[in-house]
Amino acid sequence: MQAQAPWPAPEFEARLRHLEAGYHTHHAFNRRLNGGDLQPFQLRGWVANRYYYQRCLPLKDAAILSNCDDRAARRQWIQRILDHDGRDDEAGGIEAWTELGVAVGLSRADLESQRHVQPGVRFAVDAYLSFARRVPWQEAAISSLTEMFAPRIHADRLAGWPAHYPWIEPRGFAYFRSRIALAERDVQHGLAVAHAWCSTRERQERAIDILQFKLDILWSMLDAVERAYPDDLAEDLRP
C-alpha cells in the first residue's frame, strides 16, 4: 500500500492550530477563573497546583536537550530553561509564578512544599515529563506547541483579573505579561522543528497525536483542580 503524501506545510500547521478547541481555555474551571467566578480559596488552589507544572517545565526542556544531537537546536532551546529558572539579571518564570502565589495569599512554603498538589495533577505532570525524557527530542519539542494557544489565555487574565479579583496584589500579574512575547517566540521555533521533522504523513499525524496528548495533560490537570476545590469546600488553603 502506497504511503500517503504529506500535507502541504500550511495545511499541516492549520491542522495543528485546529486543536485549539481542546485547549484548557475552554475548560469550565478556566472559564470561571477568567470570568471572576471563583472564590479566593479556589484561585489559591489553582495557583498552588499549577506551580507543580511550572517547576516541571525546565526539567522537561532539559530532557529535550539531553536527547538532542543538534548543537544549533540546543543553543536555541536552552533559552527556555533560562526563561523559567532565571538569569543573573532576572528571576525567571518560576519566581514570577511564586510571586503570583504570594499575591493571592499563599506563602512560598505552601508552594515549594507541594503539599496542596493533587494526585491527578502530579500524575499528569509526571507523565508529561516522562514523555519528554523517552521520545525523540523533536517529538518532545512538538508537545510544547500548546504555546500557540497561550497568548490568548494570558491576555484574558491580564484584561479581566484586576477587576474580577481586586484583592490580588498587582505584582502577581507579571508572569502573564512576560509569557505573551516569550510564547510567540517559542512557537516560531517549535513550528520550525515540527515542519523539519514531519517530512512524512506518518510523522505529521504523529505530531497531531502528540499535541493532543499535551492538551489532554493540561485538561486533566484542571479536572483534578476542579474536583479538589468545589464551591462548598469549607476549608481554605491558608493555615
Side-chain angles (χ1 to χ4, degrees):
M1 182 175 178
Q2 187 175 6
Q4 291 181 299
W7 293 304
E11 181 178 353
F12 173 46
E13 184 172 330
R15 287 174 179 268
L16 291 171
R17 291 186 180 276
H18 182 71
L19 296 179
E20 189 274 340
Y23 191 51
H24 62 166
T25 301
H26 306 292
H27 194 287
F29 188 89
N30 184 73
R31 291 200 302 268
R32 294 186 66 205
L33 173 67
N34 283 1
D37 297 327
L38 295 188
Q39 300 175 59
F41 78 87
Q42 293 169 312
L43 206 154
R44 283 192 277 271
W46 174 75
V47 171
N49 277 271
R50 180 80 182 192
Y51 176 84
Y52 188 71
Y53 174 78
Q54 298 302 136
R55 67 173 293 279
C56 164
L57 291 176
L59 303 180
K60 176 266 299 182
D61 291 323
I64 291 174
L65 288 177
S66 73
N67 290 326
C68 179
D69 58 1
D70 184 324
R71 183 186 179 203
R74 290 197 305 270
R75 285 168 61 89
Q76 193 162 358
W77 201 272
I78 200 170
Q79 297 179 72
R80 300 182 185 225
I81 295 178
L82 299 175
D83 289 341
H84 293 289
D85 281 342
R87 300 169 173 81
D88 291 340
D89 58 343
E90 59 184 71
I94 294 175
E95 177 60 23
W97 195 268
T98 302
E99 288 292 327
L100 173 62
V102 173
V104 302
L106 295 166
S107 68
R108 288 178 177 271
D110 285 325
L111 296 168
E112 293 170 0
S113 70
Q114 302 171 24
R115 65 189 182 94
H116 299 301
V117 177
Q118 297 300 308
V121 170
R122 191 180 299 275
F123 183 85
V125 173
D126 290 354
Y128 180 40
L129 182 55
S130 176
F131 171 82
R133 286 171 169 160
R134 62 182 171 80
V135 301
W137 74 268
Q138 295 94 334
E139 293 192 355
I142 288 166
S143 74
S144 295
L145 280 174
T146 48
E147 291 275 34
M148 290 189 295
F149 318 128
R152 174 188 166 186
I153 205 169
H154 297 322
D156 287 347
R157 289 166 185 161
L158 289 169
W161 280 29
H164 294 321
Y165 306 111
W167 51 271
I168 298 178
E169 296 181 31
R171 74 173 187 273
F173 302 135
Y175 176 85
F176 305 128
R177 285 193 294 271
S178 69
R179 285 308 306 173
I180 292 176
L182 293 176
E184 291 170 350
R185 179 205 70 192
D186 291 347
V187 165
Q188 295 308 309
H189 183 213
L191 284 172
V193 171
H195 284 303
W197 176 248
C198 298
S199 56
T200 65
R201 175 70 72 86
E202 182 181 16
R203 284 190 177 180
Q204 289 176 331
E205 292 175 344
R206 169 68 173 160
I208 289 172
D209 289 343
I210 288 168
L211 189 54
Q212 184 61 60
F213 162 75
K214 175 62 181 306
L215 290 167
D216 291 345
I217 291 289
L218 296 172
W219 195 275
S220 59
M221 287 169 58
L222 280 188
D223 281 346
V225 171
E226 184 176 49
R227 285 193 299 270
Y229 305 105
D231 291 346
D232 59 354
L233 187 70
E235 184 178 349
D236 201 338
L237 273 69
R238 295 187 298 184

